[in-house]
Amino acid sequence: MIYPVLRMGDARLLRISRPVERFDTPELHQLLADMRDTMAHLDGAGLAAPQIGVDLRVVLFGTGAFNPRYPDAAPVPETVLINPTLEPLGDEEAEDWEGCLSVPGLRGMVPRWQRLRYSGFDQYGTCVERVVDGFHARVVQHECDHLDGILYPMRVRDLSRFGFVEELFGPGTPPPDD
Ligand code: NI
């Protein structure tokens, strides 16, 4: 089922979400199915459970072979990540534009760790662990921030590089809207 995505200003986006305690349950599988439907409907690169009002540490991300919202990004495999832990590797940061389905029509320049290890579980309780960098690392950090009530505009350091897509990039220029 496609759910409405909560928008910035909704207090539910600011909560610290609760860890999942039981895996491979009908409820958890249904949540992932609903998140997948909602993300696909909106061509999102990722979605966190709090964005559909569910107070659990569950994120889903991935771009498949091609995502029209991120035409230049290297593909990110579809990944379910539950109760995630992120560990930066090195102290290198990278800045790039981000958008968010909860902040429609806007983009901001956001610093993130360039390289990190993430770990957690999938919906069956199987361990997931990867070392990633670049766009993949960025997507994970963005989605996991949602579990701690952080939206990307809170991380924008230079607010002159935060605004509406059309004004930042010009009319008719991708990136497309949200
Ligand atoms: Ni987001």
Side-chain angles (χ1 to χ4, degrees):
M1 179 177 156
I2 295 168
Y3 274 77
V5 173
L6 306 185
R7 295 194 301 171
M8 188 168 71
D10 190 305
R12 289 172 288 178
L13 289 170
L14 302 176
R15 295 186 293 198
I16 309 290
S17 297
R18 295 179 295 117
V20 169
E21 292 177 355
R22 295 178 59 221
F23 294 87
D24 201 15
T25 62
E27 295 78 13
L28 189 56
H29 290 303
Q30 186 62 52
L31 171 62
L32 265 306
D34 292 338
M35 288 175 66
R36 191 172 286 114
D37 289 348
T38 302
M39 188 174 109
H41 176 68
L42 297 169
D43 286 329
L47 190 71
Q51 291 181 277
I52 58 168
V54 175
D55 176 28
L56 287 172
R57 302 186 80 77
V58 176
V59 303
L60 170 68
F61 55 86
T63 57
F66 178 78
N67 183 309
R69 290 184 68 221
Y70 299 93
D72 299 324
V76 176
E78 186 179 294
T79 302
V80 171
L81 192 59
I82 299 175
N83 300 348
T85 303
L86 272 53
E87 177 196 350
L89 298 175
D91 51 13
E92 188 185 349
E93 283 185 356
E95 286 206 308
D96 208 344
W97 294 103
E98 290 187 19
C100 179
L101 297 174
S102 295
V103 193
L106 293 151
R107 291 288 186 278
M109 184 61 79
V110 183
R112 298 287 186 186
W113 300 113
Q114 167 65 19
R115 189 159 181 270
L116 57 84
R117 174 184 293 115
Y118 66 83
S119 57
F121 302 90
D122 70 10
Q123 64 269 49
Y124 303 98
T126 305
C127 287
V128 177
E129 183 180 319
R130 287 197 184 117
V131 173
V132 298
D133 61 10
F135 181 69
H136 191 151
R138 176 170 298 277
V139 169
V140 177
Q141 290 171 85
H142 176 115
E143 296 311 326
C144 291
D145 263 358
H146 279 294
L147 307 180
D148 292 323
I150 299 168
L151 299 165
Y152 83 80
M154 300 173 184
R155 294 202 183 272
V156 172
R157 289 182 185 150
D158 175 0
L159 286 170
S160 71
R161 294 198 290 174
F162 175 57
F164 290 93
V165 171
E166 294 82 3
E167 316 307 332
L168 288 166
F169 303 108
T173 308
D177 65 12
D178 293 275

